[in-house]
Amino acid sequence: MLEIIVQNFDICGIEYKEVLYGNKSSIFYETNENIKIYSNKELSKIELLTIKNSLENISLDNIKNIDFEKKHILEILEIITGKFKLETILKLTEDALRTLLDSDGASILLYNKDKNVLNFYVTSGGASGYIETIDVPIDGSIAGECFKQKKTIIINDAGKNPLHFKQTDKKSNYNTKNLIATPLFFDNEPIGVLEAVNKNKGIFTEKDVNIIELFSSLISNKLMNSKLYNELSSTIKGIILAVATAIDIRDNYTHTHSKNVSNLAVKIAKSMGFEDSLLEELEISALLHDVGKIGIPDEILNKPSKLTDEEYKIIQSHTIIGAKLLSEIDFLSKNIPLGALEHHEKLDGSGYPYHKKDGEISLFGKILAVADIYDALTAKRVYKEPWPKERVIKLLKDDCPKKYDCDIINALEKSINL
């Protein structure tokens, strides 16, 4: 969390009890009596609130461990916004994935149906340049097993695993110690595998699963289409920037919830006759609708007891934080940040953060409001059992058209096949 805050707000130094860690700049702010932060840019009130919340319980050890000179992940990915060929963009994306996973190498393998093998499409890291011509068998390789099982696989003892395909190591004079692999999908069918190898420190964990699966979900469906145009869409380039900012604090619940809301929102929109371009924008907007929770401290976000009024205001601010973060990325459409901003607004003005009413709320905001509450109520939580979907539909219909759009609820009901 702290590394993300330092990178996102361009903090170059922190002064803790009058001792400086990092570097000074002409722009500085005092967050409390013990901490002064130095930034390379002017910060808004909402950004300062985010930083203050994040530094509230910081320790000296936390500050000492910050690498203020670490290359900003957004700077790495900013290159992607240029007009490069697909292969170049994917290689840069792989480099960013390696940075997030702290791995030595990464590869994209695509399925060769004629030969029933996987072929390396893009590689980066230690073995790159040596393995591209190798046919990786479906039967008898870890990547092939991932492809067949259609699920993420972690192998932290590759040398002892009978499925490890040693020909790649032999040809590249490389030693694969551990790896993580996840399928790439197109129309719900596997088309290849995204993998990262050799964690620089430690082993691959469930946290790494969340990272690589998000990258996979963002590039999978775009990969085949993008090959036709030889470049990825600007939307995907921007979305990777946002994911890179938020990924380290996305827990399993948030990750699953966001994917559920995205899938449901797309079903609703298809039922309503959305065109493909709007479906893509809505899918991405829904996937990142909770990205603003990057600015909410864990002790508030995961508080088991009732929130105070002040804590509830901080929770509500995730909509503003998320919209601001997404609006600063060079999206093709301005619809995408509206999903983050408005998914808690209601037609009668009783929602937040701005108490917008019917005509003031975007269609994306109205759809995500319905999809968000449907998934929240039908999912099992530690504090409640899942509601039957019939009960949730009834609740939504009772609040239509007061709080929710009736056409959207009808589309929801149709899409879940009640």
Side-chain angles (χ1 to χ4, degrees), residues 284-309:
I284 295 167
S285 183
L287 187 63
L288 293 174
H289 75 282
D290 272 339
V291 72
K293 288 182 178 178
I294 186 176
I296 309 301
D298 287 343
E299 59 267 24
I300 296 178
L301 190 61
N302 300 313
K303 184 178 178 180
S305 57
K306 185 177 180 180
L307 297 172
T308 65
D309 290 343

Side-chain angles (χ1 to χ4, degrees), residues 229-242:
Y229 302 102
N230 210 30
E231 62 179 47
L232 291 173
S233 69
S234 296
T235 300
I236 293 304
K237 301 169 195 175
I239 222 52
I240 296 174
L241 302 182

Side-chain angles (χ1 to χ4, degrees), residues 20-31:
L20 178 67
Y21 300 88
N23 302 300
K24 286 188 175 182
S25 68
S26 59
I27 303 172
F28 61 89
Y29 305 91
E30 293 184 359
T31 62

